[in-house]
Amino acid sequence: GSLVRTFTPFYFLVEPVDILSVRGASVIMNCSAYCETSPKIEWKKDGTLLNLVSDDRRQLLPDGSLLINSVVHSKHNKPDEGYYQCVATVESLGTVVSRTAKLTVAGK
């Protein structure tokens, strides 16, 4: 028998945009993906998946957006500045990766 594959819509409703922030501010990187089966949302920073479980400043919001509480930025420590991507995965379907959004932290 022939296997009929139906097209399952799976796409981003909202993708992150470039943000200019200041030290100590909170930032939300928006992301929302649509699929009949709820996608698992993860975030990459500079190409590496963020481990949000053990992160006390960064958290995944219910809609898939990334909240960064009180942006850290000093001369030698810039853990929040960089390039972010939202990664949505649906088990049987695959993974889609959002556009890259740059978080820039302004100096004094």
Side-chain angles (χ1 to χ4, degrees):
S2 63
L3 182 67
V4 178
R5 284 190 65 97
T6 56
F7 176 73
T8 306
F10 177 28
Y11 53 87
F12 284 106
L13 296 165
V14 180
E15 293 190 62
V17 294
D18 293 357
I19 294 180
L20 175 62
S21 179
V22 291
R23 194 173 74 195
S26 290
V27 167
I28 291 182
M29 288 275 184
N30 290 310
C31 178
S32 181
Y34 171 81
C35 189
E36 289 160 15
T37 321
S38 284
K40 175 181 172 219
I41 301 285
E42 295 174 294
W43 280 86
K44 280 184 173 182
K45 176 180 179 282
D46 300 329
T48 306
L49 280 174
L50 289 173
N51 178 5
L52 298 171
V53 178
S54 61
D55 199 318
D56 51 352
R57 287 189 314 105
R58 290 186 272 220
Q59 68 185 79
L60 190 62
L61 298 177
D63 69 347
S65 297
L66 178 69
L67 170 65
I68 305 172
N69 281 308
S70 89
V71 167
V72 171
H73 196 76
S74 63
K75 193 173 178 184
H76 300 294
N77 186 26
K78 302 175 182 179
D80 297 325
E81 194 167 73
Y83 295 93
Y84 288 81
Q85 284 175 303
C86 179
V87 181
T89 305
V90 173
E91 200 61 37
S92 57
L93 213 56
T95 300
V96 290
V97 180
S98 75
R99 70 181 290 277
T100 300
K102 184 179 185 194
L103 173 60
T104 307
V105 182
K108 287 241 182 278

